[in-house]
Amino acid sequence: MTMDFKIIQKLYAGLPGKIRRARNLLARPLTLTEKILYSHLSEEPTRSFERGKDYVDLNPDRVAMQDATAQMALLQFMMAGRKAAAVPTTVHCDHLILARVEAKTDLAHSLSANKEVYDFLRSISQKYGIGFWTPESGIIHQVVLENYAFPGGLMIGTDSHTPNAGGLGMVAVGVGGADAVDVMAGMPWELKWPALIGVKLTGALSGWAAPKDVILKLAGILTVSGGTDKIIEYFGPGARSISCTGKATITNMGAELGATTSVFPYDERMAVYLRATERDDVAKLADAIAEHLAADSEVQEDPEKFFDELVEIDLSTLEPQVVGPYTPDLARPISGLKKDAQEHDYPDEIRAALIGSCTNSSYEDIERAAHVARQASRKGLKARTHFLITPGSEQIRATIERDGQLQALTEIGGVVLANACGPCIGQWKREDIQREEKNTIVTSFNRNFARRNDGMASTLAFIGSPEIVTALALGGKLSFNPLSDTLVNDRGEEVRLEPPTGHELPTRGFEKGESGYVPPAANPGSIELVVDPKSERLQLLEPFPAWNGKDFTDLVVLLKARGKCTTDHISPAGPWLRYRGHLDKISDNLFLAAVNAFTGETGKGKNVLTGETGHPFEDRLDILSLQEFTPGKPLTLRIKHKDGSVDEIKVKHSYAQSQIEWFKAGSALNLIAASHRKEHK
Ligand code: SF4
């Protein structure tokens, strides 16, 4: 039986009634998004909500966390005093694995380098009723799609690409750890009622065009901020022509448009995927209420009336897209890439091509990439650049190993990395180029801003579908267009690649591989949590008293950011992932990738204390002593500067003890100290 079967059964039993009441309340037909949100409200609604204005409380069905963000979230959850998470929750070990050599070597290194963190995550998960997926199991969103996502559900995840589950009809939203902790602690989750973008898909993909091209095209239309505070809802006959995993690729990358999430209506392609992943029971339940798992027919017939914005894409005429560098909305069809590269002086030589990640490592993706690779082998071609493959999950890896796709890809020079994020999150130790050497890479990932993949701003990352990236690996140049150009093989002959084909799902079913699921402990009381007080990776938190209701005032502005400022700009990943369980240490990376609006420099701001320019936290101050705090009275801090000098400052504002305690745990106190020292002078 499916893990959440009883929960899904209960939800589906109540869905028709809740949707009918919402339809009556609004006195109009409903979009799919509205159906899912109204049926997950924590209280029966008495009025309709205003899009982009009202905040509502919702009850998610599930929480998922990846290993980098789970550390702090679980450290916080420990403070809640609960015996177990209030909703089904899982932890996935995928972000901390460094890609350097190949899967086995990298995994072995990572297991030892991150042992302390993995042990902590495993034991705290077992103690608090949380499912734990070990480091070799796969990337969070692929594992969620294979095991937990279901049509009509609502989930939150502590990762931006949680919307991947929208490919299986779920409203799945990426949130911060604090939101996840609230829900795990039994509280509702607050969401700004979203505006709605309708995307009508007509026609069907053919030739080289892939689901990835739908979202790359949409990114070019809507831009990186076009989805802010909005949910993107797909519909139309073209939607049904796309596989479930293809839909997941599209919803996954909706995050690049700033969208709250993206969702597809339930259809036969989702049912087929549910059955292929051993969830026949869920498919049967969904089939029985299928009309409630899609927008009302009036919405599909007259979408202008119900969506705030409407975009139409004809899949039949869609050409493969390549986006980048530095931003996913710099889109053009592949036929325009050569000219663009010449005009903007992008290095033509591709130094690395990477396929896979949570975005594009489905069976269908790898099938189509392997189809290109098999043609290449037959025609005497090999990859002309480093070619790296990241399977999204152990289930995918084991299946494509059994079915021969991995062999096809390695035969042209591909190297298989661990089933983990690796180069997609900056966990990529490149040894093929000099530091800060200007170079081009192509990936089938989802993000391509400066430093995302290898930590180097000099790397220009372009994104395309796995089949296009594989073809570009064979061509070795950005100027190669596999749709029109030929390549010269090792025998000096001109050869052409044919459009790829491939099965959507394995005809022999999925191979499980080494299952890495660890269920919650039967006897949670027996699980001991050990955190070394001297640890650099983990730091236990201290509980603090409730907020006294007073807001902070007169705080200094640390940095005014310009342009795109995602969570990765605010708190970069890569080597910093090491400190995600240590509040004090991770605070040191604040704004490191954000662009200063005044100077255009990345990660630098003016130190209000010294007037010097540097990293906002460069002048770290260590708190030597903190006197007994009396609300309403000034507070004296003895601080030590980086140069060793000691100073005393007075904090004149009436911060509550709780707030001071909280700040003590992070660098924020240093900034307060700095600002007040300036005042004090
Ligand atoms: Fe995020 Fe990339 Fe990992 Fe997906 S593969 S979860 S996008 S880091």
Side-chain angles (χ1 to χ4, degrees), residues 135-163:
E136 70 274 29
S137 313
I139 306 171
I140 175 169
H141 310 306
Q142 185 66 29
V143 175
V144 165
L145 196 73
E146 289 169 358
N147 295 277
Y148 303 114
F150 65 91
L154 173 70
M155 73 173 281
I156 58 170
T158 59
D159 188 273
S160 314
H161 296 96
T162 302

Side-chain angles (χ1 to χ4, degrees), residues 336-346:
L337 182 58
K338 180 178 177 181
K339 185 164 163 276
D340 249 19
Q342 285 165 350
E343 277 177 11
H344 295 93
D345 201 22
Y346 303 145

Side-chain angles (χ1 to χ4, degrees), residues 79-400:
M79 303 289 103
R82 285 190 69 99
K83 287 208 162 116
V87 299
T89 300
T90 46
V91 168
H92 304 259
C93 295
D94 54 3
H95 276 57
L96 301 179
I97 299 172
L98 184 71
R100 197 171 59 88
V101 186
E102 55 77 49
K104 276 207 174 84
T105 317
D106 294 347
L107 183 62
H109 173 264
S110 168
L111 287 174
S112 125
N114 301 312
K115 184 175 184 312
E116 177 186 8
V117 174
Y118 292 147
D119 286 351
F120 170 73
L121 290 176
R122 184 185 180 120
S123 52
I124 194 169
S125 296
Q126 286 198 284
K127 190 171 183 67
Y128 290 109
I130 295 167
F132 177 75
W133 289 84
T134 59
E136 70 274 29
S137 313
I139 306 171
I140 175 169
H141 310 306
Q142 185 66 29
V143 175
V144 165
L145 196 73
E146 289 169 358
N147 295 277
Y148 303 114
F150 65 91
L154 173 70
M155 73 173 281
I156 58 170
T158 59
D159 188 273
S160 314
H161 296 96
T162 302
N164 193 69
L168 199 32
M170 203 166 196
V171 165
V173 183
V175 298
D179 284 25
V181 174
D182 283 354
V183 173
M184 287 157 60
M187 291 158 65
W189 170 60
E190 191 185 59
L191 176 73
K192 189 197 269 189
W193 196 258
L196 297 179
I197 300 177
V199 178
K200 182 176 183 182
L201 300 177
T202 58
L205 296 166
S206 63
W208 284 89
K212 182 77 156 196
D213 300 309
V214 177
I215 187 62
L216 298 185
K217 174 81 181 171
L218 192 64
I221 296 170
L222 292 177
T223 80
V224 289
S225 57
T228 308
D229 288 336
K230 296 168 191 162
I231 289 185
I232 302 173
E233 182 173 324
Y234 294 84
F235 64 99
R240 290 193 290 278
S241 76
I242 298 173
S243 65
C244 175
T245 51
K247 291 179 173 86
T249 293
I250 294 169
T251 58
N252 175 305
M253 258 197 88
E256 302 329 304
L257 282 55
T260 303
T261 192
S262 308
V263 65
F264 273 87
Y266 178 65
D267 63 15
E268 57 280 10
R269 307 298 278 270
M270 293 187 193
V272 166
Y273 184 76
L274 284 169
R275 293 196 174 98
T277 49
E278 298 177 7
R279 289 173 288 173
D280 196 34
D281 49 3
V282 178
K284 276 198 194 114
L285 286 182
D287 283 342
I289 57 155
E291 66 181 288
H292 301 296
L293 301 174
D296 285 337
S297 57
E298 296 91 331
V299 173
Q300 302 185 50
E301 283 153 21
D302 206 356
E304 288 87 352
K305 271 191 178 170
F306 303 96
F307 292 103
D308 303 287
E309 283 170 66
L310 191 63
V311 178
E312 187 165 336
I313 297 176
D314 178 3
L315 303 180
S316 305
T317 59
L318 189 62
E319 191 185 326
Q321 308 282 305
V322 177
V323 304
Y326 298 130
T327 181
D329 55 2
L330 187 51
R332 84 282 284 165
I334 188 153
S335 57
L337 182 58
K338 180 178 177 181
K339 185 164 163 276
D340 249 19
Q342 285 165 350
E343 277 177 11
H344 295 93
D345 201 22
Y346 303 145
D348 192 28
E349 185 191 352
I350 296 169
R351 301 294 291 271
L354 306 97
I355 62 169
S357 86
C358 69
T359 330
N360 267 115
S361 61
S362 65
Y363 190 81
E364 184 181 39
D365 288 332
I366 303 294
E367 262 275 89
R368 286 169 63 87
H371 184 270
V372 175
R374 286 189 182 110
Q375 288 183 57
S377 288
R378 275 199 312 275
K379 296 179 185 188
L381 295 170
K382 282 217 182 290
R384 293 177 182 167
T385 185
H386 292 284
F387 181 41
L388 305 172
I389 302 119
T390 306
S393 69
E394 169 60 7
Q395 178 166 292
I396 286 286
R397 191 211 57 76
T399 309
I400 59 177

Side-chain angles (χ1 to χ4, degrees), residues 343-544:
E343 277 177 11
H344 295 93
D345 201 22
Y346 303 145
D348 192 28
E349 185 191 352
I350 296 169
R351 301 294 291 271
L354 306 97
I355 62 169
S357 86
C358 69
T359 330
N360 267 115
S361 61
S362 65
Y363 190 81
E364 184 181 39
D365 288 332
I366 303 294
E367 262 275 89
R368 286 169 63 87
H371 184 270
V372 175
R374 286 189 182 110
Q375 288 183 57
S377 288
R378 275 199 312 275
K379 296 179 185 188
L381 295 170
K382 282 217 182 290
R384 293 177 182 167
T385 185
H386 292 284
F387 181 41
L388 305 172
I389 302 119
T390 306
S393 69
E394 169 60 7
Q395 178 166 292
I396 286 286
R397 191 211 57 76
T399 309
I400 59 177
E401 181 174 56
R402 180 200 65 194
D403 293 351
Q405 294 94 341
L406 268 193
Q407 191 183 339
L409 294 166
T410 51
E411 271 175 11
I412 61 162
V415 172
V416 182
L417 299 175
N419 313 320
C421 303
C424 184
I425 189 70
Q427 291 277 60
W428 182 21
K429 194 161 188 312
R430 287 181 80 178
E431 277 153 18
D432 57 312
I433 59 164
Q434 299 293 317
R435 232 147 155 106
E436 302 309 333
E437 179 185 343
K438 189 173 177 185
N439 76 106
T440 290
I441 64 168
V442 288
T443 82
S444 70
F445 304 163
N446 50 28
R447 290 201 159 155
N448 62 345
F449 50 75
R451 297 194 171 92
R452 167 76 178 185
N453 303 116
D454 58 8
M456 284 187 268
S458 55
T459 294
L460 285 73
F462 294 82
I463 299 175
S465 67
E467 44 271 62
I468 285 291
V469 171
T470 305
L472 288 173
L474 295 165
K477 294 191 182 313
L478 271 190
S479 52
F480 172 61
N481 178 359
L483 279 72
S484 58
D485 300 346
T486 54
L487 290 169
V488 177
N489 69 9
D490 52 12
R491 299 183 289 275
E493 302 155 346
E494 272 197 29
V495 293
R496 184 184 292 280
L497 296 168
E498 299 304 323
T501 60
H503 292 291
E504 172 179 336
L505 291 163
T507 49
R508 288 198 279 156
F510 280 108
E511 184 75 38
K512 283 248 178 292
E514 301 284 318
S515 175
Y517 179 69
V518 181
N523 181 9
S526 66
I527 306 281
E528 287 245 355
L529 291 178
V530 182
V531 172
D532 181 349
K534 292 200 199 100
S535 170
E536 278 212 329
R537 304 286 302 266
L538 298 164
Q539 182 185 42
L540 288 174
L541 302 175
E542 295 291 327
F544 50 80

